[in-house]
């Protein structure tokens, strides 16, 4: 039968700890058929866990149930169990009127050594005063039990938090979700607080020795508290027994803890190591060392290196990974000397400053590995020595045979028609020729003649390819100040390919560097900085947008920020910048053919980028069947809409005013002098702005404009309704949708019509969609980021200088039927000259 695995042992052990002692044997009879597994569980129960047996107490000691009194405390419910046979109760302090956690052990069910350890816990933790250490209020005893009252942390421990994060949404965690950008800074801040708490304990002469997720509590605000000093070593008391060196949970033991004979070297750095393991598990949701048994886990901790954090979770920044591995260094001399130093580096990381810790040089790490594996390496060295001797003999015997085989491969190349061979074969032949020359191969007279002819043929081919490639790729109009597009595109591309093939065949770095880049590829530069002008790190990629439907392809990675003059493909792209500590930013741009640089300089604002004012759209399938919809020319195509967020309200004048205050170079709308700050008109939807200005506002907020398909899906729902409100009937209009159409207006009359007819963005809740989106039909039409399509030869193609506005304005119902519903769109130019008093916008954001 296979050896029992540690997860199985732990599962059964935890179940047993929740049962009275007289029920455990029956439970193991029913649940544990493996004798070896049962022996492991029973040994752990006997050695380390003796739960309080209330039924074994003398009759004078009543059981602790809801409403029972222990001293001045009234028991409410059980909230946990621990080592030393302790039970933790939530209780009410009748004197101070507060809730406390009451830890109780029964003297009749606890050994003298465990009672001494219980008293040490309260005395050790009781002298510590730190905002991130659970406070000890009082200790006491009854006739048959001992207890101490401590601060109650309403929340759960980090082990539960890690479990919830791993479930990916099936239960709600306290910290930001693992996939969000705010998760990593939150974890770093949490571990910094815990490290400072441990440093405070170390300064008082107390080493915790059992730092693990279950002993780190989170309150509902995400603050961390160090708890359970039951295995702590207090310099005032000395040691209970030498066996204490291997107490604790094996996954989080330091290497010195895992070695029984090294108890004397256990100091504050063992807590630093354990906290490093906790940080590793938080960053990856995996433990660095696992095993089937406790002994196997301890052996791996001593001998193996943890998998690099960034290999498990590539979103972890390099400095935070260095802090984690610095805390988990197996050597005491290469680990953080104090928990305070670890906390300081975590604070520096959160402040975007350089950390102090640097990993040890490679030779020290190598020396440590050699020492830990010295016996295995000695065995390997013996085998290597034997293998080298055999290898030398084999190499000496087979060298001539390999050279002969290389020569046989070259015989297929004809020097007289060398250029007719494929480029990969030419490259392989050239490398084979050079290897034979380096080895001094002579062979037969026929071999020597063939090699000489090939050498001459390759020399002539190289000279010819370089001269022809340079002549073809040269731009004769360049000297006249013309761009690449003025030259013969096909000729230039043939020249570039000629030089690229020459560089591939002859493998010369200088030649490869001299090959000109594709002159027709558009170029991209992206820089992201904070409001202090400091550059921010992150990654950049793009998603190709279908220019007709707006659907986005899979993300293609471009590289790390900043991106400078990087070639990108032609077409409509949604650039995706994932900024460390600031989340995702999206920028939609159309890239045309030509060596033109698009520059995006984005500033991450310090204000909260909350999405509280946005509605989550779960996505689904948008069915296009309406003849009025320009996208219906896609043969009633079913478009899959990814989940996204959409503003609940249209952008108001008040919203746009904040944008103008920090962008004084942007021209305000033509009516701006008639809208006073704080006036009722400030709540109207902003209009008379161009598509480019709407896009700039959205990107300033860290958002983007919705696509036509996203907007239509949000307004129409999966059922494809023609009106935003459910259960609507033909001819029924709600909200601001039934005002007469005024045409041929002058600018003054347009402004007057807008001020009279537009209504506040938060008005008419009766006209909102079922998901809570206001004014999807009426009030003002809204810009989308989608290009307007047109038919060429029966095929829909994008009009690159026209954008779609959708939703119609207050005059919608005045159109002849069936216009005036959600199938109505406008096609307008993105420039300021096409800004209209009937078009506004709202923002979107990908999820």
């Amino acid at each position: 039968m296979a050896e029992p695995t540690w997860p199985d042992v732990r599962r059964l052990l935890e179940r047993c700890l929740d049962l009275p002692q007289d029920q455990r044997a029956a439970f193991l009879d029913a649940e544990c058929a493996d004798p070896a597994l049962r022996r492991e569980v029973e040994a752990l129960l006997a050695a380390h866990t003796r739960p309080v047996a209330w039924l074994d107490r003398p009759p004078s000691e009543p059981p602790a149930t809801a409403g029972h009194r222990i001293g001045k405390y009234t028991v409410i419910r059980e909230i946990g169990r621990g080592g030393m046979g302790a039970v933790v109760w939530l209780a009410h302090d009748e004197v101070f009127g507060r809730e406390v956690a009451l830890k109780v052990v029964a003297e009749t069910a606890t050994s003298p050594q465990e009672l001494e350890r219980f008293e040490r816990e309260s005395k050790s933790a009781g002298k510590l005063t730190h905002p991130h250490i659970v406070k000890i209020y009082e200790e006491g005893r009854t006739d048959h039990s001992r207890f101490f009252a401590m601060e109650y942390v309403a929340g759960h421990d980090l082990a539960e938090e890690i479990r919830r994060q791993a479930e990916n949404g099936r239960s709600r965690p306290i910290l930001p979700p693992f996939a969000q950008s705010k998760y990593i800074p939150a974890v770093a801040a949490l571990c910094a607080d815990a490290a400072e708490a441990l440093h405070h304990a170390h300064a008082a002469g107390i080493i915790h020795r059992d730092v693990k997720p279950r002993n780190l509590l989170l309150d509902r605000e995400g603050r961390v508290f160090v708890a359970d000093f039951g295995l702590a070593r207090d310099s005032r008391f000395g040691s209970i027994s030498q066996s204490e060196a291997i107490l604790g949970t094996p996954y989080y033991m330091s290497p010195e803890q895992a070695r029984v004979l090294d108890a004397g070297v256990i100091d504050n750095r063992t807590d630093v190591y354990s906290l490093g393991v906790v940080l590793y598990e938080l960053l990856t949701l995996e433990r660095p060392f696992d095993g089937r048994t406790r002994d196997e886990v301890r052996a791996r901790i001593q001998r193996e290196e943890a998998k690099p954090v960034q290999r498990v979770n590539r979103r972890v920044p390099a400095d935070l990974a260095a802090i984690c591995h610095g805390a988990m260094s197996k050597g005491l001399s290469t680990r953080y000397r104090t928990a305070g130093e670890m906390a300081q580096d975590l604070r520096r990381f959160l402040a975007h400053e350089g950390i102090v810790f640097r990993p040890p040089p490679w030779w020290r790490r190598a020396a440590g590995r050699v020492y830990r594996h010295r016996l295995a390496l000695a065995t390997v060295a013996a085998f290597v020595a034997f293998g080298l001797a055999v290898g030398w003999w084999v190499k000496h015997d087979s060298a001539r045979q390999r050279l002969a085989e290389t020569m046989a491969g070259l015989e297929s190349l004809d020097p007289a028609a060398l250029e007719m061979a494929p480029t990969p074969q030419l490259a392989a032949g050239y490398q084979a020729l050079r290897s034979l020359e380096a080895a001094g191969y002579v062979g037969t007279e026929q071999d020597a003649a063939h090699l000489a002819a090939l050498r001459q043929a390759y020399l002539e081919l190289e000279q010819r390819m370089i001269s022809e490639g340079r002549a073809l790729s040269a731009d004769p109009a360049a000297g006249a100040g013309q761009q690449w597009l003025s030259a013969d595109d096909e000729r230039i591309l043939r020249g570039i390919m000629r030089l690229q093939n020459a560089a591939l065949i002859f493998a010369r770095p200088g030649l490869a560097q001299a090959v000109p880049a594709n002159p027709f590829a558009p170029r991209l530069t992206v820089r992201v900085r904070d409001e202090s002008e400091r550059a921010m790190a992150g990654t950049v990629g793009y998603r190709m947008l279908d220019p007709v439907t707006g659907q986005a392809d899979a993300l293609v990675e471009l590289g790390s920020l900043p991106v400078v003059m990087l070639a990108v493909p032609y077409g409509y792209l949604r650039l995706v910048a994932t900024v460390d500590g600031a989340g995702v930013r999206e920028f939609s741009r159309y890239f045309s053919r030509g060596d033109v640089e698009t520059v995006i300089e984005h500033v991450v604002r310090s204000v909260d980028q909350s999405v509280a004012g946005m509605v989550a759209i779960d996505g689904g399938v948008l069915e296009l069947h309406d003849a009025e919809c320009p996208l219906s020319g896609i043969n009633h195509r079913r478009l899959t809409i990814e989940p996204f967020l959409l503003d609940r309200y249209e952008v108001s004048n008040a919203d746009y005013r904040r944008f103008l205050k920090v962008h004084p170079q942007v021209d305000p709308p033509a009516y701006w002098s008639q809208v006073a700050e704080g006036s009722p008109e400030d709540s109207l939807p902003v209009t008379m702005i161009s598509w480019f200005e709407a896009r700039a506002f959205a990107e300033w907020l860290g958002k983007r404009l919705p696509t036509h398909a996203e907007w239509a899906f949000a307004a129409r729902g999966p059922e494809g309704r023609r009106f935003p409100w459910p259960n609507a009937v033909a001819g029924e209009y709600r909200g601001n949708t039934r005002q007469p159409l005024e045409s041929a207006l002058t600018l003054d009359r347009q402004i007057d019509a807008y001020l009279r007819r537009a209504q506040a963005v938060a008005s008419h809740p009766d006209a909102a969609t079922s998901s809570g989106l206001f004014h999807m039909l009426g009030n003002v039409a809204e810009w989308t980021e989608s290009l307007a399509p047109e038919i060429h030869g029966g095929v829909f193609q994008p009009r690159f200088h026209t954008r779609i506005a959708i939703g119609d304005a207050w005059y919608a119902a005045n159109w002849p039927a069936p216009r005036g519903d959600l199938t109505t769109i406008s096609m307008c130019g993105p420039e300021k000259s096409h800004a209209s008093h009937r078009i506004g916008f709202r923002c979107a954001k990908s999820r």
Side-chain angles (χ1 to χ4, degrees), residues 425-435 458 462 505-506 508:
Q425 185 179 359
L426 288 173
Y430 185 74
Q431 293 302 316
L433 180 63
R434 293 187 62 184
S435 67
Y458 267 114
E462 180 180 12
I505 294 170
F506 300 103
R508 296 189 182 177

Side-chain angles (χ1 to χ4, degrees), residues 417-739:
L418 190 62
E419 195 169 357
M420 302 300 293
T423 298
Q425 185 179 359
L426 288 173
Y430 185 74
Q431 293 302 316
L433 180 63
R434 293 187 62 184
S435 67
L436 289 176
E437 291 176 345
Y441 180 79
V442 178
T444 64
E445 291 185 8
Q446 184 179 359
D447 291 344
H450 187 69
L451 290 175
L454 274 178
R455 190 180 302 110
Q456 182 63 30
Y458 267 114
L459 179 61
E460 294 173 356
L461 176 62
E462 180 180 12
Q463 295 172 348
R464 185 165 61 253
M465 293 182 72
I466 292 175
S467 61
E468 291 178 358
R470 287 173 176 171
L472 290 170
S473 61
D475 184 0
Q482 301 296 318
Q483 295 183 347
W484 279 99
L485 291 178
S486 64
D488 183 345
D489 297 354
E490 183 180 356
R491 175 179 57 78
I492 292 175
L493 288 175
R494 281 194 291 110
I496 292 174
M497 292 182 63
R498 191 79 164 153
L499 290 174
Q500 288 175 336
N501 286 337
L504 177 64
I505 294 170
F506 300 103
R508 296 189 182 177
L511 180 57
Q513 295 170 4
V515 177
N518 183 351
F520 312 116
R523 306 289 165 169
L524 172 66
T525 294
V526 181
R527 298 184 181 92
V528 179
R529 63 184 188 277
D530 60 19
E531 291 178 307
S532 301
E533 298 297 320
R534 292 183 300 182
M536 300 188 72
T539 59
V540 178
Y542 70 85
R543 303 183 70 184
M544 182 71 73
L545 296 176
D546 186 306
V548 175
T549 66
Q551 298 296 94
D553 289 342
L555 181 69
V556 177
E557 297 286 351
L558 287 176
S560 300
L561 285 170
V563 167
V564 180
M565 286 294 288
L566 191 67
V568 294
Y570 317 133
Y572 204 14
L573 307 183
R574 179 179 298 159
L575 305 169
V576 181
T578 304
V579 186
D580 292 350
V584 174
R585 299 294 188 272
E586 298 172 291
F587 313 92
S588 297
R589 297 292 187 273
Y590 177 72
F591 292 89
S592 59
R593 186 169 177 273
D595 192 12
V596 178
E597 182 184 15
T598 296
V599 179
I600 296 175
E601 298 276 0
H602 182 69
V603 177
V604 174
R605 301 188 301 141
S606 58
V607 299
D608 181 25
Q609 300 291 339
S610 174
V611 296
M614 305 187 81
V615 174
I617 308 298
D618 290 334
V621 176
L622 174 65
E623 302 237 14
L624 299 167
H625 294 290
D626 300 294
E628 299 82 8
C629 178
L631 296 185
S632 64
I634 317 170
N635 298 324
H636 307 291
R637 181 169 170 180
R638 293 164 55 90
L639 300 181
T640 300
I641 308 299
E642 296 178 352
F644 67 101
L645 300 167
L646 190 64
D647 282 348
R648 186 178 301 277
Y649 308 113
E650 295 157 331
V651 175
S652 68
N653 287 319
D655 299 328
Y656 200 69
R657 189 183 303 279
R658 290 191 289 272
F659 172 69
L660 291 178
K661 286 181 178 179
V662 295
H663 296 85
Q665 75 278 10
V666 177
D667 293 333
Y671 59 82
W672 208 242
S673 61
Q674 301 184 41
V675 179
E677 186 171 1
S679 66
E681 290 79 12
D682 227 13
S683 63
L684 300 181
V686 65
T687 62
M688 287 190 166
I689 61 172
S690 70
W691 180 89
F692 287 117
E693 291 166 337
R695 184 183 71 179
F697 175 90
E699 292 178 356
W700 175 66
L701 285 180
K703 303 179 183 180
R704 59 174 172 83
L705 295 178
T707 67
H708 177 196
E710 286 175 334
W711 196 101
F713 182 79
R716 302 178 66 177
E719 65 273 20
R721 56 181 179 262
R722 299 172 70 93
F723 297 93
W725 45 87
N727 303 319
V729 297
E732 177 189 7
Y733 293 89
R734 302 179 191 173
N736 188 21
T737 55
R738 287 187 66 85
Q739 301 193 37

Side-chain angles (χ1 to χ4, degrees), residues 295-306:
D295 290 340
E296 185 178 345
V297 174
R298 289 200 297 267
R300 288 184 174 176
I301 291 173
Q302 296 175 60
R303 293 196 296 265
E304 298 180 7
E305 295 290 342

Side-chain angles (χ1 to χ4, degrees), residues 202 206-209 233 254 256-257 262-274 332-333 335-338:
H202 297 161
I206 297 173
I207 303 170
H208 192 286
R209 296 198 303 175
R233 171 179 287 177
S254 63
E256 57 271 22
Q257 270 183 301
D262 285 350
V265 300
I266 292 178
D267 57 18
N268 59 288
R269 288 169 292 185
T270 199
D271 286 349
V272 172
Y273 180 93
S274 299
L332 291 171
S333 62
R335 197 181 303 167
Y336 280 106
R337 292 177 300 174
T338 67

Side-chain angles (χ1 to χ4, degrees), residues 764-816:
H764 290 294
D766 60 319
T769 67
S770 56
S771 58
L773 298 169
F774 281 58
H775 287 300
M776 296 300 280
L777 176 64
N779 214 25
V780 292
E782 298 177 17
W783 286 117
T784 72
E785 73 172 9
S786 296
L787 305 175
E790 60 184 355
I791 297 179
H792 284 287
V795 178
F796 270 74
Q797 295 182 359
R799 293 163 57 180
F800 298 112
H801 300 292
T802 310
R803 301 297 188 273
I804 291 178
I806 187 170
D808 247 322
W810 55 78
Y811 58 84
N814 194 263
W815 288 93

Side-chain angles (χ1 to χ4, degrees), residues 205-460:
I206 297 173
I207 303 170
H208 192 286
R209 296 198 303 175
D210 197 20
V211 177
K212 59 184 179 181
R214 287 202 177 276
N215 290 339
L216 296 173
L217 309 182
L218 280 180
D219 68 8
R220 294 192 179 101
E221 284 73 43
R223 293 173 299 188
V224 67
F225 297 83
V226 180
D228 198 344
F229 284 77
L231 298 185
R233 171 179 287 177
D234 193 327
S235 59
R236 297 176 301 169
F237 304 132
S239 176
I240 293 178
S241 70
Q242 188 71 13
S243 64
E244 284 183 333
I246 57 170
L247 290 176
T249 306
Y251 301 115
Y252 307 96
M253 285 182 179
S254 63
E256 57 271 22
Q257 270 183 301
R259 291 189 292 268
V260 179
L261 298 180
D262 285 350
V265 300
I266 292 178
D267 57 18
N268 59 288
R269 288 169 292 185
T270 199
D271 286 349
V272 172
Y273 180 93
S274 299
L275 185 59
V277 177
V278 173
L279 175 57
Y280 185 103
E281 188 171 357
L282 284 168
L283 293 174
T284 63
L285 303 185
E286 295 181 8
R287 295 193 186 102
F289 302 105
D290 216 329
R292 299 167 60 193
T293 64
R294 294 169 61 92
D295 290 340
E296 185 178 345
V297 174
R298 289 200 297 267
R300 288 184 174 176
I301 291 173
Q302 296 175 60
R303 293 196 296 265
E304 298 180 7
E305 295 290 342
K307 186 185 298 183
V309 169
Q310 290 180 302
R311 189 181 300 173
V312 183
N313 182 1
R314 64 176 184 174
R315 296 188 298 114
V316 177
D319 277 358
L320 187 56
I323 293 172
C324 180
H325 289 292
M328 290 175 58
S329 177
K330 295 190 184 300
L332 291 171
S333 62
T334 55
R335 197 181 303 167
Y336 280 106
R337 292 177 300 174
T338 67
E341 291 182 356
M342 181 182 178
Q344 290 171 3
D345 258 358
L346 287 167
R347 298 295 184 202
R348 293 186 187 100
F349 165 77
L350 290 168
H352 303 289
E353 299 174 357
I355 65 173
V356 173
F357 177 83
R358 289 294 177 268
W362 66 268
W363 57 268
R364 287 192 67 176
R365 297 197 301 271
R369 293 190 183 98
V370 168
Y371 179 77
R372 288 193 298 273
H373 301 280
R374 55 191 179 276
L375 294 179
L377 288 174
T379 303
V380 171
F383 279 105
V384 168
F386 175 76
L388 288 174
V390 174
W392 177 87
W393 181 84
V394 172
K395 179 180 179 181
H396 180 75
D397 185 66
S398 60
R400 292 182 181 179
Q401 180 179 353
R402 290 199 305 271
L403 291 175
E405 291 173 353
T406 302
M407 183 66 216
L410 286 176
E411 291 176 355
S412 61
L413 288 175
D414 183 1
L418 190 62
E419 195 169 357
M420 302 300 293
T423 298
Q425 185 179 359
L426 288 173
Y430 185 74
Q431 293 302 316
L433 180 63
R434 293 187 62 184
S435 67
L436 289 176
E437 291 176 345
Y441 180 79
V442 178
T444 64
E445 291 185 8
Q446 184 179 359
D447 291 344
H450 187 69
L451 290 175
L454 274 178
R455 190 180 302 110
Q456 182 63 30
Y458 267 114
L459 179 61
E460 294 173 356

